[in-house]
Amino acid sequence: MAGLFAYIVGAIPGIITLILGIKLTNAMGHALNISLTLEKSADSNMINMVRELAVYFKIQGIMQLIGIAVAVLVLFFMLIATVTMGISFLYI
């Protein structure tokens, strides 16, 4: 039971990666349609491709911001741990 939380947390990046892969695959399909047909329907394919890419880049940006926030938190807690370890060694 205790390991269930670790599996769920570990699965989250995999699920996000799958979503990003699907968005890129959809954008690739729309890009292929644009390159194969030079008709009025190319405009709708272009719009769909740009929408898929916009979602992809939005998710990537959010993931990068989360990564930076986690790194800052880790550094903060490492600093606190280092200071408290140093203080505890003074009293030994």
Side-chain angles (χ1 to χ4, degrees):
M1 261 336 234
L4 183 62
F5 178 73
Y7 287 121
I8 291 172
V9 171
I12 292 172
I15 292 169
I16 293 173
T17 304
L18 281 173
I19 292 170
L20 292 177
I22 290 169
K23 292 297 176 188
L24 278 179
T25 303
N26 290 340
M28 180 193 66
H30 295 300
L32 285 175
N33 286 339
I34 290 169
S35 66
L36 293 176
T37 61
L38 296 175
E39 300 172 331
K40 289 189 177 189
S41 65
D43 292 334
S44 67
N45 286 326
M46 180 71 86
I47 291 169
N48 290 333
M49 181 187 72
V50 170
R51 283 183 186 157
E52 296 289 337
L53 286 174
V55 171
Y56 171 79
F57 287 122
K58 187 182 293 185
I59 293 172
Q60 274 298 99
I62 291 169
M63 292 294 292
Q64 288 178 355
L65 289 175
I66 290 171
I68 291 169
V70 168
V72 168
L73 283 174
V74 167
L75 289 173
F76 176 73
F77 286 121
M78 286 175 56
L79 177 67
I80 289 175
T82 303
V83 169
T84 56
M85 291 275 298
I87 291 173
S88 67
F89 282 129
L90 290 176
Y91 293 113
I92 293 180

